[in-house]
Amino acid sequence: MSDNGILIVTEDDCKQLMDSGAAFDAVRDIFGRMASGEARNFPVVREAIGHADALYGFKSGFDRSSMTLGVKGGGYWPGNMAQGLTNHQSTVCLFDPDTGRLSALVGGNYLTAIRTAAASAVSIATLSRENSTVLGMIGAGHQAGFQLRAAAEQRDFEKVIAWNYHPEYLPNLGKVAEEVGLPFEAATIEQVCVQADVIITITSSFAPLLMNDWIRPGTHIACMGTDTRGKQEVESKLVASAKVFTDEIDQSTSIGEAQHAFAEGLITKDRITPLGDVINGTHPGRSDDDDITLFDSTGVGLQDLAVAGVAARKAMDAGNAQTIQIG
């Protein structure tokens, strides 16, 4: 980063500098380095602040390979949409690992959206059948559009089929499908499950939506919504019957989709594989076309730091990055 001050990378800068391809590469690489031990996440802090129904917290870590050290601070403010703001708000602080000096402040809202989409896209590229043709979407909120765009780049999908608790939001997702050249259909949850080869769940549900008996052999499921204790998008029996992969095992069993199956004794930690092991070639991943694979994405700080580090380097290379002098 800059030797003369703190680099400022705004939300607009991030949108101009980072695309889905750059985010995919950064997230895929960090999964691999997490699995090999080159990168480490630190404990997450997440609390209700007792004001505005907001959840606030910190995710941090260190990637020795890219020498990226930092923390993302922010959370969820459910009333923001009424004020014309995104409900999820965050900023990434990057530090010089040699000195501990603050080196960059990077807008985190857009980067959180594209890194979350990149995580599911990496799972699709790594675990789904190559001949997958139908993409199923469970959820049609702000993040769903990012998910659809990133997923569409991984397989030759022929259509998108989707369900949302509030069906009035489905036309917005349909517009995204049209942008990427895919036909779009609204359906029931069961119809999505029985037709889709790849299913992305991106909701804030606290009760299972996908049932084990609905899922066809060979399906890949990317569970992207469960990141808090109590949340649940798929039936515990489905988690137990699938080959389960995750970003971080301890988070998967405590705040991720596997938390319920784990608490019920239906699955043990040794049944859950870091996605990075497949990327690094130390685990085969899908071994049969009939395997049901499930990616439990809990969200880790290193994903945020990886994309923020790339954005900061791109800002420096562009030559027009703003810096604040700190003496």
Side-chain angles (χ1 to χ4, degrees):
M1 306 307 168
S2 173
D3 293 330
N4 301 316
I6 302 171
L7 178 69
I8 306 298
V9 187
T10 67
E11 288 288 335
D12 286 342
D13 291 333
C14 290
K15 291 175 183 178
Q16 294 175 18
L17 294 166
M18 291 293 292
D19 58 20
S20 60
F24 180 97
D25 290 343
V27 170
R28 179 196 58 205
D29 291 348
I30 203 64
F31 277 142
R33 292 199 286 269
M34 285 170 56
S36 68
E38 294 177 85
R40 184 164 67 94
N41 288 288
F42 304 145
V44 174
V45 175
R46 184 175 176 131
E47 299 289 342
I49 68 171
H51 176 73
D53 292 325
L55 290 173
Y56 177 71
F58 300 95
K59 292 182 176 182
S60 59
F62 176 51
D63 175 20
R64 185 178 298 277
S65 178
S66 65
M67 295 298 284
T68 301
L69 173 69
V71 57
K72 183 178 85 166
Y76 183 74
W77 273 257
N80 275 9
M81 198 67 72
Q83 303 180 54
L85 300 171
T86 302
N87 287 348
H88 289 89
Q89 293 289 322
S90 61
T91 301
V92 179
C93 302
L94 298 176
F95 298 88
D96 182 339
D98 292 322
T99 65
R101 169 187 163 276
L102 179 65
S103 57
L105 292 173
V106 185
N109 297 345
Y110 171 74
L111 292 183
T112 297
I114 63 167
R115 72 84 164 154
T116 305
S120 67
V122 170
S123 83
I124 292 168
T126 306
L127 298 171
S128 72
R129 290 181 289 108
E130 293 187 7
N131 62 350
S132 298
T133 58
V134 179
L135 173 63
M137 298 290 303
I138 303 296
H142 175 72
Q143 173 64 214
F146 290 93
Q147 293 285 330
L148 196 162
R149 287 188 183 93
E153 296 176 356
Q154 310 311 317
R155 292 289 183 256
D156 292 326
F157 293 114
E158 296 176 359
K159 72 173 182 178
V160 177
I161 183 169
W163 173 90
N164 191 56
Y165 184 81
H166 296 286
E168 63 270 24
Y169 290 107
L170 285 170
N172 295 331
L173 192 59
K175 291 178 182 177
V176 177
E178 183 179 0
E179 290 172 10
V180 299
L182 291 173
F184 181 85
E185 297 177 12
T188 66
I189 299 178
E190 185 172 358
Q191 287 171 335
V192 173
C193 292
V194 300
Q195 292 187 43
D197 301 298
V198 172
I199 302 172
I200 299 173
T201 62
I202 185 69
T203 74
S204 56
S205 177
F206 279 80
L209 300 171
L210 276 64
M211 300 295 124
N212 181 64
D213 291 344
W214 295 347
I215 304 300
R216 297 185 304 167
T219 303
H220 174 65
I221 307 167
C223 297
M224 307 304 296
T226 299
D227 59 358
T228 302
R229 192 177 301 277
K231 281 187 175 183
Q232 186 175 15
E233 295 186 299
V234 309
E235 186 181 18
S236 296
K237 186 178 178 182
L238 174 54
V239 175
S241 65
K243 286 190 171 182
V244 181
F245 303 83
T246 192
D247 41 25
E248 191 164 270
I249 293 175
D250 286 343
Q251 286 192 183
S252 175
T253 56
S254 60
I255 63 172
E257 195 59 52
Q259 63 180 281
H260 303 282
F262 180 74
E264 294 165 22
L266 298 178
I267 191 171
T268 54
K269 287 187 177 182
D270 60 5
R271 285 270 322 281
I272 304 172
T273 303
L275 185 59
D277 283 351
V278 186
I279 293 167
N280 291 342
T282 59
H283 188 283
R286 173 180 291 277
S287 57
D288 190 279
D289 278 352
D290 285 340
D291 287 342
I292 294 173
T293 53
L294 186 148
F295 173 57
D296 183 5
S297 176
T298 62
V300 293
L302 280 170
Q303 294 172 1
D304 299 293
L305 302 184
V307 293
V310 173
R313 288 188 286 274
K314 284 179 174 286
M316 288 293 295
D317 291 343
N320 58 354
Q322 178 185 355
T323 59
I324 296 175
Q325 301 302 318
I326 57 174

